[in-house]
């Protein structure tokens, strides 16, 4: 018989309890689980008498941002799974990892207490089995994971209501509303979901709202709203502003439906992920009401002086933390919540933890899993004799050992603080986007090399040695452009990857594109923008010549400095000399041949220059379009991962060129040329290198592919805008 005094007691078999069990299992720590119901799933098991979900309930976050990372939901599962699919998910999770064998089902824990003094006492756990039999045992530690959404928070109203007064915990399906006048109190996610349900059964549906909310549609641009941007994580201050602007595009101002405006910024409270409620408000199916002042028989009086009769008032007013089996002083309760370190670990005991007391946008079940992982590692370290003088030091010491540190969130009004555990992986993981291989055959690679060679030959045909001599007479403008391209832009791009924190392969792709020389379309765009074409052509020529040596060195330098991409770069073992040789063949040889042709055979060069450049450009654009068309499924699936990063990096590239030229006093005529030269990158060359040296690594290839078409679009828009304005400092002949 197992000695329970060597085991950890885990209370609850919902998402947090399963996460605790799995992490204790992974670290080889013995544990015994207790679950009052007959199976796992917690509140997502609607057969559980303590479950508070209703039949129409779905996740408000998409499956990919909610699931356990080690156990993804099946592709067949809906983007926003129903309670039925989620129940099955947890049943499957428990079966896959063999967790049921560690749980005692039908056992309701009703008392937990320490035995003796000290920081690591044994714990007496007592429970009642399904047949009413009482039992108990002593355990080495306790993890409380019985959930946070089971005990209704029912408000007290002035007066008396003669109809039904219920909490959403008692709601199961819309038949409860049939033929009734219904008031839903509270416009959180559950309140809005249920109000939408009620529309189809109730005689009347009103929604009492005391404060403003941000309403987020579940889909934006055809994708689940919480997956936009992929793994890119903007700083919270920037994400608040960007998402608030995008949200206004999609939902407008909810105040036009009679709802109050939020008096806080986005994400300072949970947004409502439901646009159907706005649809029904707009159609008059639901009416917005202010906060309740008092009740009087069948009548509800509101704070704006209005009143209405109802048959049923349903309170969507949330839940209270509820741990009835342990004395409140043992958890150091203050106000509405226990006072725990990181809202997880007891400050008094080394072997007591509570899971689930965290709430933050986008945290999902993986966030709870990481919380459970922290607890399991902490318990293991304590069991192995690791000791620090204070709980804070113990937790931080453990986190640092594992490469993790906590990031504290804001103090919620009247509720527990929000936290999120940040992971700093020591190696660059291969992500799903990296596993894809674009439809790009060796023949395609040869063809792309040929197209780039033709483009470089076309540029060289229009380049004379006199262009280089002319550059020598205006070294300032050239130096500014070269420095902006080879020093400032890679540095700015490096900083952007640190700010956005994209996947390692995407960061590496962004750095590679930044290190590429300008594409020859920059000369065409400079002409369109009424800029200094001679400077543009000269800069393109010089930059491409310098890129033969500087590009591989630059890329190796910035790539090796990157905290997450460097391991990937080392894994691929990029050889700068080999890369230099490759660039010499693609850029150097065609360029030298073009200059020789222009110098020795000027008439032939004059006849070839326009057709060669136009044909090469058409081939490049056609190649990019064809590559996207041939990989359309991958493009749709993964463009969201890189689009924001590419748009920001491209904008920064143009801005870098313009700012450097302006800071050094160049005329507007020259600034346009420098801005376009820095902003236009040879993404086609980047694709060649990605397939030649990185095996077509998915994240890098998607970055270069998106750059290939977005750069042209952005350049055309900018050049068109400049074309409407006369450049300052242009020679008189340029405006004739």
């Amino acid at each position: 018989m197992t000695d329970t005094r060597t085991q950890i007691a885990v209370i609850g078999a919902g998402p947090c309890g399963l996460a605790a069990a799995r992490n204790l299992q992974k670290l080889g720590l013995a544990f015994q689980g207790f679950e009052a119901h007959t199976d796992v799933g917690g509140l997502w098991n609607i057969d559980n008498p303590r479950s508070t979900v209703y039949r129409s309930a779905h996740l408000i976050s998409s499956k990919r941002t909610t699931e356990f990372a080690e156990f993804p939901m099946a592709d067949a599962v809906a983007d926003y799974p129903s309670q039925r699919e989620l129940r099955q998910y947890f049943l499957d999770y428990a079966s896959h990892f063999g967790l049921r064998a560690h749980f005692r089902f039908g056992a309701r824990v009703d008392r937990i207490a320490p035995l003796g003094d000290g920081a690591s006492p044994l714990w007496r756990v007592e429970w009642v089995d399904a047949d009413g039999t009482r039992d108990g045992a002593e355990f080495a530690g306790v993890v409380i994971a019985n959930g946070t959404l089971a005990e209704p928070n029912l408000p007290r109203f002035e007066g008396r209501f003669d109809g039904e007064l219920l909490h959403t915990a008692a709601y199961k399906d819309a038949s409860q509303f049939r033929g009734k006048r219904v008031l839903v109190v509270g416009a959180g996610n559950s309140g809005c979901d249920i109000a939408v349900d009620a529309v189809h059964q109730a005689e009347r549906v009103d929604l009492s709202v005391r404060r403003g909310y941000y309403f987020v549609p579940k889909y934006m641009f055809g994708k689940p709203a919480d997956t936009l941007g992929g793994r890119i994580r903007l700083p919270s201050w920037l994400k608040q502003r960007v998402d608030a602007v995008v949200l206004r595009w999609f939902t407008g101002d909810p105040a036009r439906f009679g709802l109050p405006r939020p008096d806080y910024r986005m994400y300072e409270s949970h947004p409502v992920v439901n646009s159907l409620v706005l649809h029904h408000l707009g159609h008059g199916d639901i009416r917005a009401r202010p906060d309740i002042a008092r009740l009087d028989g069948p009548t509800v009086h509101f704070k704006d002086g209005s009143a209405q009769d109802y048959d049923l008032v349903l309170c969507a007013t949330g839940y209270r933390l509820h741990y009835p089996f342990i004395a409140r002083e043992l958890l150091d309760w203050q106000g509405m919540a226990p006072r725990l370190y990181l809202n997880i670990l007891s400050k008094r005991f080394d072997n007591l933890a509570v899971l689930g007391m965290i709430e933050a946008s986008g945290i999902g079940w993986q966030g709870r899993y990481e919380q459970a992982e922290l607890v399991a590692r902490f318990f293991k370290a304590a069991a192995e004799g690791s000791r620090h003088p204070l709980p804070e030091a113990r937790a931080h010491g453990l986190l640092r050992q594992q490469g993790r540190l906590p990031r504290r969130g804001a103090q919620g009004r009247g509720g527990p603080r929000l936290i999120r555990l940040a992971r700093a992986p020591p190696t660059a993981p291969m992500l799903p986007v990296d596993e894809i291989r674009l439809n790009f055959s060796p023949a395609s690679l040869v063809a792309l090399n040929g197209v780039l060679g033709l483009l470089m030959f076309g540029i060289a045909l229009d380049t004379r040695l006199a262009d280089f001599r002319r550059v020598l007479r205006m070294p300032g403008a050239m130096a500014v452009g070269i420095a902006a391209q080879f020093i400032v832009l890679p540095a700015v791009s490096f900083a952007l990857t640190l700010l956005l924190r994209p996947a390692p392969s995407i960061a590496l792709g962004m750095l590679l594109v930044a290190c590429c020389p300008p594409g020859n379309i920059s000369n065409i765009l400079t002409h369109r923008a009424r800029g200094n074409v001679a400077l543009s052509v000269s800069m393109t020529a010089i930059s491409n010549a310098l890129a033969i040596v500087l590009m591989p060195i630059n890329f190796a330098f910035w790539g090796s400095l990157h905290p997450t991409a460097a391991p990937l770069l080392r894994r691929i073992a990029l050889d700068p000399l080999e890369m230099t040789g490759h660039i010499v063949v693609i850029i150097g040889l065609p360029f030298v041949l073009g200059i020789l042709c222009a110098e020795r055979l000027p008439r032939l060069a004059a006849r070839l220059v326009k057709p060669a450049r136009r044909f090469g450009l058409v081939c490049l654009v056609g190649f990019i379009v064809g590559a996207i068309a041939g990989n359309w499924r991958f493009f749709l699936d993964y463009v969201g991962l890189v689009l924001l990063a590419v748009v920001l990096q491209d904008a920064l590239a143009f801005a870098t060129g313009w700012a450097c030229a302006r800071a050094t006093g160049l005329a507007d005529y020259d600034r346009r040329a420098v801005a376009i030269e820095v902003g236009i990158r040879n993404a086609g060359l980047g694709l060649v290198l990605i397939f030649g040296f990185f095996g077509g690594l998915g994240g890098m290839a998607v970055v270069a592919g998106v750059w290939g078409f977005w750069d042209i679009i952005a350049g055309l828009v900018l050049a068109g805008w400049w074309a409407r304005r006369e450049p300052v400092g242009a020679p008189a002949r340029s405006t004739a």
Side-chain angles (χ1 to χ4, degrees):
M1 184 175 178
T2 303
D3 184 0
T4 61
R5 290 176 296 179
T6 64
Q7 294 182 320
I8 305 296
V10 177
I11 316 301
C16 288
L18 291 176
R22 172 61 179 148
N23 279 286
L24 292 170
Q25 178 193 61
K26 284 172 64 177
L27 294 184
L29 294 173
F31 67 94
Q32 173 64 59
F34 296 90
E35 169 56 49
H37 187 47
T38 55
D39 210 338
V40 302
L43 72 87
W44 290 106
N45 189 332
I46 200 168
D47 296 330
N48 185 340
R50 292 281 290 168
S51 171
T52 56
V53 300
Y54 36 94
R55 301 197 187 284
S56 63
H58 289 72
L59 276 181
I60 61 169
S61 54
S62 67
K63 63 181 179 182
R64 296 301 177 222
T65 61
T66 310
E67 64 196 3
F68 291 126
E70 67 173 353
F71 194 71
M73 294 188 197
D75 290 339
V77 173
D79 289 338
Y80 293 93
S82 68
Q83 50 86 13
R84 295 180 299 278
E85 291 173 304
L86 295 173
R87 175 180 180 274
Q88 190 60 49
Y89 175 73
F90 291 116
L91 295 177
D92 293 343
Y93 184 85
S95 297
H96 182 79
F97 293 110
L99 300 179
R100 281 191 183 84
H102 297 276
F103 276 88
R104 186 174 186 133
F105 293 102
R108 178 177 57 81
V109 172
D110 65 358
R111 183 173 181 271
I112 297 173
L115 299 177
D117 300 322
S120 299
L122 290 174
W123 290 83
R124 176 72 179 176
V125 177
E126 297 179 357
W127 64 91
V128 179
D129 285 322
D131 61 2
T133 305
R134 292 192 61 84
D135 205 345
E138 297 172 3
F139 291 88
V142 174
V143 177
I144 298 173
N146 63 315
T148 59
L149 301 175
E151 191 66 18
N153 180 35
L154 193 63
R156 294 183 178 180
F157 298 108
E158 180 184 342
R160 187 193 79 257
F161 182 62
D162 290 344
E164 297 177 82
L165 180 61
L166 303 175
H167 189 272
T168 52
Y171 171 71
K172 291 302 175 184
D173 62 65
S175 64
Q176 295 173 243
F177 300 134
R178 189 169 295 135
K180 296 177 181 178
R181 298 165 296 176
V182 176
L183 174 65
V184 178
V185 181
N189 282 286
S190 294
C192 289
D193 281 352
I194 294 171
V196 170
D197 278 0
V199 162
H200 305 288
Q201 297 284 344
E203 177 183 324
R204 176 191 180 98
V205 181
D206 288 356
L207 184 64
S208 172
V209 186
R210 67 179 178 86
R211 67 186 185 112
Y213 290 88
Y214 291 94
F215 291 85
V216 179
K218 286 195 170 182
Y219 287 91
M220 288 185 177
F221 306 110
K223 295 283 186 180
D226 59 3
T227 65
L228 291 182
R231 295 176 64 86
I232 294 174
R233 295 290 181 264
L234 294 176
S236 58
W237 62 268
L238 179 58
K239 182 174 176 59
Q240 280 181 322
R241 287 159 177 78
V242 170
D243 287 3
V245 170
V246 173
L247 196 58
R248 281 197 294 272
W249 296 345
F250 277 84
T251 61
D253 184 2
R256 71 186 187 278
F257 300 121
L259 299 172
R261 286 190 174 90
D263 58 358
Y264 54 91
R265 287 186 292 185
M266 195 164 181
Y267 300 126
E268 289 180 352
S269 180
H270 258 308
V272 176
V273 187
N274 187 322
S275 55
L276 286 177
V277 69
L278 299 181
H279 168 87
H280 287 294
L281 281 164
H283 285 74
D285 302 325
I286 300 173
R287 297 171 183 82
R289 291 287 196 171
D291 198 8
I292 294 176
R294 61 187 176 88
L295 308 177
D296 184 11
T299 306
V300 176
H301 294 267
F302 299 99
K303 289 188 175 179
D304 66 350
S306 62
Q308 181 66 44
D309 290 348
Y310 297 99
D311 302 303
L312 189 155
V313 173
L314 186 74
C315 297
T317 47
Y319 296 86
R320 295 185 289 109
L321 295 177
H322 190 57
Y323 308 116
F325 40 74
I326 186 169
R328 293 172 71 90
E329 60 269 20
L330 296 177
L331 294 178
D332 191 20
W333 274 80
Q334 295 186 25
M336 295 177 65
R339 288 290 299 273
L340 305 173
Y341 179 62
L342 296 177
N343 284 347
I344 304 171
L345 300 169
S346 168
K347 294 183 178 182
R348 177 178 171 185
F349 302 104
D350 289 347
N351 53 0
L352 175 64
V354 180
L355 296 182
M357 274 178 41
I358 53 174
E359 195 62 63
S361 179
I363 196 171
W365 290 318
Q366 182 59 25
R368 275 83 173 174
Y369 183 96
E370 293 175 8
Q371 189 189 29
E373 185 180 7
L374 184 151
V375 169
R377 291 183 182 276
F378 183 78
F379 279 18
K380 184 175 179 64
E384 292 174 350
S386 175
R387 285 292 182 270
H388 296 279
L390 295 172
E392 288 82 357
R394 287 199 299 273
H396 275 283
L398 175 63
L399 289 167
R400 289 193 179 94
Q401 291 171 20
Q402 305 303 330
R404 298 158 186 267
L405 282 175
R407 183 169 71 246
R408 291 181 185 269
Q411 172 73 46
R413 282 185 285 181
R417 288 171 294 178
L418 310 181
I419 69 159
R420 180 67 193 266
L421 305 181
R423 184 187 299 269
T427 59
M430 296 293 284
L431 302 170
V433 67
D434 299 325
E435 298 298 330
I436 70 168
R437 288 297 177 264
L438 303 182
N439 297 322
F440 200 84
S441 65
S444 300
L445 188 59
V446 172
L448 182 54
N449 281 330
V451 169
L452 289 172
L454 182 60
L455 283 169
M456 298 314 303
F457 181 78
I459 291 174
L461 286 175
D462 201 34
T463 304
R464 303 291 185 271
L465 293 176
D467 291 326
F468 294 92
R469 288 192 290 269
R470 187 185 307 115
V471 168
L472 295 177
R473 294 195 295 271
M474 49 175 168
M478 180 57 65
V480 170
I482 296 298
Q485 290 183 71
F486 290 105
I487 299 175
V488 183
L489 179 59
V492 169
S493 297
F494 179 84
L496 181 63
T497 62
L498 297 181
L499 182 68
L500 298 182
R501 292 183 293 173
S505 61
I506 292 174
L508 205 58
M510 293 170 66
L511 293 175
L512 178 63
V513 170
C515 294
C516 284
N520 79 314
I521 193 176
S522 62
N523 309 149
I524 300 169
L525 293 174
T526 299
H527 182 269
R528 167 73 174 153
R530 304 170 74 178
N532 189 339
V533 177
L535 176 60
S536 174
V537 171
S538 301
M539 201 180 304
T540 299
I542 294 291
S543 298
N544 278 277
L546 291 175
I548 297 172
V549 175
L550 292 183
M551 181 182 175
I553 295 174
N554 223 1
F555 178 60
F557 173 76
W558 289 107
S560 65
L561 289 181
H562 200 276
T564 60
L568 188 59
L569 188 66
R570 288 195 293 269
R571 182 189 302 169
I572 294 168
L574 180 67
D575 184 351
L577 292 178
E578 185 182 359
M579 186 175 176
T580 300
H582 202 67
I583 293 174
V584 167
V585 173
I586 298 171
I587 296 178
L589 186 58
F591 199 80
V592 171
L593 290 175
I595 288 181
L596 288 175
C597 181
E599 292 292 326
R600 303 291 176 85
L601 303 168
R603 292 183 179 178
L604 177 62
R607 288 196 298 269
L608 291 178
V609 60
K610 287 185 178 180
R613 290 176 66 175
R614 289 174 180 172
F615 181 73
L617 180 59
V618 169
C619 288
L620 179 59
V621 173
F623 189 93
I624 292 172
V625 171
I628 292 173
N631 298 276
W632 186 245
R633 180 171 60 86
F634 294 141
F635 183 82
L636 285 180
D637 288 344
Y638 294 101
V639 68
L641 285 172
V642 302
L643 184 59
L644 176 62
V646 167
V647 170
L648 289 176
Q649 188 184 15
D650 191 44
L652 280 175
F654 285 112
T656 295
W658 173 262
C660 289
R662 190 174 190 276
T664 52
L666 296 184
D668 181 41
Y669 181 60
D670 296 328
R671 288 180 208 163
R672 299 184 184 190
V674 173
I676 291 175
E677 281 296 306
V678 178
I680 298 296
R681 300 290 88 197
N682 194 339
L685 173 62
L687 272 176
V688 169
L689 297 175
I690 289 165
F691 281 95
F693 288 89
F694 297 87
L697 185 64
M700 296 184 72
V702 172
V703 168
V706 174
W707 250 98
F709 75 86
W710 177 258
D711 202 24
I712 295 173
I713 294 171
L716 286 170
V717 171
L718 180 61
W721 181 73
W722 265 330
R724 297 196 297 253
R725 299 172 55 232
E726 185 73 19
V728 178
R733 60 184 173 82
S734 69
T735 61

